């Protein structure tokens, strides 16, 4: 359900369970110049600042206050920021690519598939005429479930590779279980399936179990369930909706929390096939795994064991009719964006408008682009980089990475609190770090994927199955380290902890993150901070658990680990003190890995920028010193606005701090104090001992 489900290890999170809020209109965007944002003479939007605010009181407002005051969140978005404004640019570019493919009469191969996929989704008249027929086979199959084995087969047959625990970190699936296939935590030489909890329509267990605002959301959700069932012509919709909500609430009770799911050591549970039978009775596990194409797989990693045990117990204890109603609704809800207008509109009315406060559904072409990217993203991406990414940009970004990696190495050497032994291991890990810039070295082969120009829902279902089988095929094959878990046309960046590898897609190497013509201080503060952030993920509270081969291994001396964890606790407390609303604080534990990456990544990029100056001072530009521009560059990439509902959801489930708090990372950096003459008594001031220095 999460169209852009990028979480833990990425620069930007979107919202789990927001089906249709990606993309937006340009109104309210940053100043435009021939369709491109304009970032002033040295690569920074000085007009967007609010110089009436003291930088030491609120650095986000100082750097972005006028932008925040004058920018309206586009009606079809729940939030707006530097990432989404670039995503807008990528959408327009992608539109040209897929519309050309759809119009080309002689298109062949991947180009034809891209065009047909897009055309099928755009064919509203055809979709309307087919009504509920495309989902009918799924509803009928579920209705025919006659016993627990058949229920187990249904659950197994609908598992997809739709979650990602450690790379793009999408923990959410609306199916009873999700599967992630990656190299084994304990054995980097083999691939293993990771079984992940799922089955909820709302983003997280707290939406079912908490009071206050959540009770209102549940009332709206129950009405949504009833509406979808009636649209499909299912009788007794109200009563069934109540039973379905009750069933999901029982599932929510056995689910792990976000903080628990975010904890690698809690997740590292190897189960054999026999373990499923003894530890999670209720499902016919042989039937379930056979239907999932996993009949010969003997070893699994079960990320949330209590959820698997609990779900299996519900398979035994709950009436089959309740399961069948629930599974039919889940199938309908997942299919709704690809069905007739009434279904698609209801899907947006709940997940977009009610849950996240987004006033208006995206235009259809934008939804079509996002779905085409989900299904055939590398086929689109290949054309995207041919058109929009130059060898010069790649070379310059590669050089920055090299400089920032070198600066990180020097920081390791200088660390006073770390023993020589741990430093040696950290250096070894840094030495084996691999970096992919712009696009993958090999492109995905879509030849086994069938796309039909008259079957929008069938296309998405076949694409999901294709993706699942592509992942299943990794089992029993040697582990490879070339796959891209993020598309080149996505505005984001990625650390892959099990592979000690970084990915920087072409679409983020654009202003305000990176501009080959901008002042280097801005580039180092912006994309340099992002690069430093991703490098640091290999050494954050999660990354530090993996050695240079990607094995979950303790390479720390106990004394060093204790100091590292103490610094983490201090940083978690700092972020937990931020309150976006009087009744809501950030969760400094949930966001710790990302905050460590910001603090150390920015410090590292600062060092690299200083090294690049070769001992000279940077010139003053428009009255700003080099140091000032470096930190302004950082603050500019974190400009962000949220709708209230969206921000409240985000704080509960997102592993990133909201933009304004990421901008405040500067208060942990010593040179920032001198650059802006920040004094004790100012709101962001931290005494030198309270500034957290993790690396
Ligand atoms: Zn990150």
């Amino acid at each position: 359900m999460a169209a852009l489900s990028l979480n833990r290890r990425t620069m930007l999170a979107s919202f789990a369970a927001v089906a249709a809020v990606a993309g937006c209109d340009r109104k309210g965007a940053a100043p435009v110049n021939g369709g491109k944002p304009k970032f002033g003479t040295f690569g920074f939007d000085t007009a967007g600042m609010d110089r009436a605010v003291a930088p030491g009181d609120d650095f986000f407002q100082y750097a972005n206050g006028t932008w925040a005051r004058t920018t309206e969140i586009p009606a079809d978005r729940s939030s707006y920021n530097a990432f989404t404004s670039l995503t807008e640019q990528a959408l327009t570019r992608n539109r040209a690519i897929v519309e050309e493919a759809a119009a080309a009469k002689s298109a062949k191969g991947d180009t034809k598939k891209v065009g047909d996929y897009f055309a099928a989704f755009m064919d509203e008249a055809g979709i309307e005429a087919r009504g509920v027929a495309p989902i009918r086979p799924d509803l009928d199959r579920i209705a025919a479930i006659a016993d627990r084995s058949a229920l187990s087969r249904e659950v197994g047959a609908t598992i997809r590779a739709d979650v990602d625990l450690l790379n793009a970190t999408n923990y959410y699936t609306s199916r009873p279980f999700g599967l992630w296939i990656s190299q084994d935590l304990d054995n980097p030489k083999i691939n293993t399936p990771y079984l992940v909890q799922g089955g909820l329509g709302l983003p997280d267990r707290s939406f079912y179990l908490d009071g206050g605002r959540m009770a209102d959301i549940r009332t709206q959700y129950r009405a949504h369930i009833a509406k979808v069932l009636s649209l499909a012509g299912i009788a007794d919709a109200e009563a069934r909706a109540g039973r379905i909500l009750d069933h999901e609430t029982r599932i929510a009770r056995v689910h792990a929390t976000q903080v628990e799911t975010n904890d690698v050591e809690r997740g590292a549970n190897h189960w054999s096939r026999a373990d499923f039978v003894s530890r999670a009775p209720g499902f016919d596990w042989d039937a379930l795994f056979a239907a999932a194409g996993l009949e010969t797989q003997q070893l699994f990693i079960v990320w949330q064991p209590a959820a698997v045990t609990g779900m299996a117990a519900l398979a035994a204890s709950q009436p089959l009719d309740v399961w069948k109603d629930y599974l039919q609704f889940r199938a309908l809800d997942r299919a709704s964006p690809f069905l007739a207008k009434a279904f698609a509109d209801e899907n947006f009315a709940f997940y977009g408008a009610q849950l996240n406060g987004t006033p208006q559904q995206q235009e259809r072409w934008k939804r079509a682009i996002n779905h085409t990217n989900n299904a055939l993203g590398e086929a689109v991406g290949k054309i995207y980089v041919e058109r929009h990414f130059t060898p010069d940009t790649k070379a310059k970004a590669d050089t920055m990475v090299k400089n920032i990696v070198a600066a990180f190495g020097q920081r390791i050497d200088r660390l006073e609190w770390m023993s020589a032994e741990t430093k040696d291991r950290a250096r070894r890990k840094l030495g084996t770090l691999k970096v992919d810039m712009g696009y993958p070295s090999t492109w995905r082969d879509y030849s086994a994927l069938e796309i039909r120009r008259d079957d929008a829902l069938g296309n998405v279902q076949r694409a999901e199955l294709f993706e699942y089988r592509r992942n299943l095929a990794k089992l029993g094959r040697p582990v490879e380290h070339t796959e891209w878990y993020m598309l080149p046309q996505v505005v984001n960046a990625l650390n892959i902890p099990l592979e000690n590898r970084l990915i920087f897609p072409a679409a983020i190497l654009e202003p305000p993150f990176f501009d080959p013509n901008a002042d280097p201080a801005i580039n180092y503060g912006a994309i340099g901070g992002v690069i430093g952030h991703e490098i640091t993920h290999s050494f954050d509270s999660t990354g530090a658990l993996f050695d240079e081969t990607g094995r979950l291994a303790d390479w720390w001396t106990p004394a060093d680990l204790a100091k590292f964890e103490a610094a983490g606790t201090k940083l978690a407390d700092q972020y937990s003190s931020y309150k976006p609303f009087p009744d809501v604080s950030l969760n400094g534990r949930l966001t710790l890995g990302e905050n460590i990456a910001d603090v150390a990544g920015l410090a590292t990029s600062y060092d690299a920028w200083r090294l690049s100056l070769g001992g000279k001072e940077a010139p003053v530009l428009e009255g700003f010193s080099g140091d000032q521009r470096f930190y302004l560059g950082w603050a500019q990439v974190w400009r962000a606005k949220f709708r209230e509902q969206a921000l409240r959801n985000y704080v509960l489930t997102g592993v990133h701090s909201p933009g304004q708090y990421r901008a405040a990372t500067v208060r942990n950096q010593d040179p920032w104090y001198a650059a802006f003459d920040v004094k004790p008594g100012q709101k962001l001031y931290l005494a030198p001992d309270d500034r957290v220095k993790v690396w």
Side-chain angles (χ1 to χ4, degrees), residues 312-351:
L314 291 173
S317 68
Q318 294 306 305
L320 270 186
D321 283 345
V322 168
W323 272 100
K324 285 152 75 167
D325 284 345
Y326 159 77
L327 290 171
Q328 282 193 330
F329 168 66
R330 291 259 52 88
L332 277 165
D333 206 37
R334 252 193 319 274
S336 288
F338 309 93
L339 294 177
K341 187 168 187 305
F343 284 94
D345 286 355
E346 172 56 27
N347 194 263
F348 172 77
F350 179 69
Y351 291 106

Side-chain angles (χ1 to χ4, degrees), residues 30 51 80 89 113 209 219 260 279 327 337 358 419 444 508 531 585 604 635 673:
R51 300 186 203 219
Y80 194 62
Q89 170 180 290
K113 286 178 187 178
L209 306 177
T219 304
E260 288 163 352
R279 298 174 69 170
L327 290 171
T358 311
S419 69
R444 194 157 297 170
I508 199 172
I531 292 167
S585 300
T604 304
Y673 287 80

Side-chain angles (χ1 to χ4, degrees), residues 135 138-143 145 147-148 150-156 158 174-177 199 229 234 243-244 247-248 251 283 311 319-335:
I135 191 69
D138 298 79
L139 301 180
D140 290 348
R141 194 186 61 243
I142 294 165
I145 293 173
D147 56 31
R148 307 279 159 191
L151 171 65
S152 305
R153 270 196 301 280
E154 174 66 22
V155 168
T158 52
S174 69
R175 303 167 189 276
F177 297 112
L229 297 177
I234 294 174
R243 291 197 291 270
I244 291 166
H247 192 64
E248 290 193 9
I251 295 172
F283 281 122
M311 190 69 114
L320 270 186
D321 283 345
V322 168
W323 272 100
K324 285 152 75 167
D325 284 345
Y326 159 77
L327 290 171
Q328 282 193 330
F329 168 66
R330 291 259 52 88
L332 277 165
D333 206 37
R334 252 193 319 274

Side-chain angles (χ1 to χ4, degrees), residues 645-657:
Q645 296 95 313
L647 183 52
R648 285 178 178 274
N649 296 345
Y650 185 75
V651 169
L652 279 176
T653 59
V655 294
H656 298 84
S657 302

Side-chain angles (χ1 to χ4, degrees), residues 8-11 533-534 537 594 597 656 662:
R8 172 170 232 305
R9 309 228 138 232
T10 59
M11 290 301 299
H533 172 107
E534 295 304 336
H537 270 318
E594 295 299 332
H656 298 84
R662 300 186 74 169

Side-chain angles (χ1 to χ4, degrees), residues 452-685:
R452 292 186 206 148
R453 209 167 167 110
D454 62 353
D455 188 10
L457 180 64
N459 287 341
V460 68
Q461 291 179 333
R462 281 187 294 275
E464 286 168 351
L465 189 58
F466 167 82
E467 178 63 9
Y468 183 61
R469 288 181 177 151
R470 190 182 69 78
N471 276 282
L472 281 189
K474 293 177 193 168
L475 296 172
R477 274 207 320 232
V479 173
E480 288 177 20
H481 297 298
T482 53
E483 181 169 345
W484 268 47
Y485 309 106
M486 182 173 277
L487 297 171
Q489 64 273 36
V490 165
V491 185
N492 217 320
L494 188 65
N495 180 304
I496 305 157
L498 291 169
E499 302 178 31
N500 200 22
R501 178 159 67 101
L502 312 182
I503 285 177
F504 296 99
I508 199 172
L509 297 165
E510 301 268 353
F513 291 91
F514 179 63
D515 177 354
N517 303 313
D519 166 39
I522 293 290
N523 278 335
Y524 272 95
I527 194 74
V530 171
I531 292 167
H533 172 107
E534 295 304 336
I535 293 170
T536 306
H537 270 318
S538 291
F539 303 89
D540 73 11
S541 45
T542 297
L545 302 172
F546 297 93
D547 71 10
E548 70 274 12
T549 68
R551 192 192 306 268
L552 185 61
D554 193 358
W555 49 275
W556 294 72
T557 66
D560 288 340
L561 190 62
K563 287 175 198 157
F564 176 72
E565 286 177 344
T569 299
K570 209 162 133 183
L571 196 63
D573 291 345
Q574 187 182 113
Y575 280 78
S576 290
S577 74
Y578 295 140
K579 290 172 93 82
F581 303 102
D583 61 326
V584 175
S585 300
L586 299 193
N587 184 340
R589 261 303 140 193
L590 183 60
T591 56
L592 179 60
E594 295 299 332
N595 299 333
I596 289 175
D598 280 349
V599 167
L602 185 62
T604 304
S605 187
Y606 179 84
D607 290 353
W609 172 62
R610 280 276 155 199
L611 287 170
S612 78
L613 293 173
K616 297 198 195 75
E617 263 311 311
V620 171
L621 297 176
E622 287 185 38
F624 294 107
S625 72
D627 276 27
Q628 288 177 330
R629 296 195 303 279
F630 174 86
Y631 291 113
L632 284 170
W634 172 257
Q636 181 171 252
V637 302
W638 299 116
R639 47 171 50 173
K641 291 185 76 162
F642 287 85
R643 298 191 192 281
E644 181 179 337
Q645 296 95 313
L647 183 52
R648 285 178 178 274
N649 296 345
Y650 185 75
V651 169
L652 279 176
T653 59
V655 294
H656 298 84
S657 302
Q660 72 183 100
Y661 305 106
R662 300 186 74 169
T665 302
V666 295
R667 64 198 299 222
N668 294 297
Q669 321 273 322
D670 292 336
W672 175 75
Y673 287 80
F676 291 98
D677 196 26
V678 178
K679 292 278 191 298
Q682 292 196 281
K683 291 194 186 94
L684 290 178
Y685 180 85

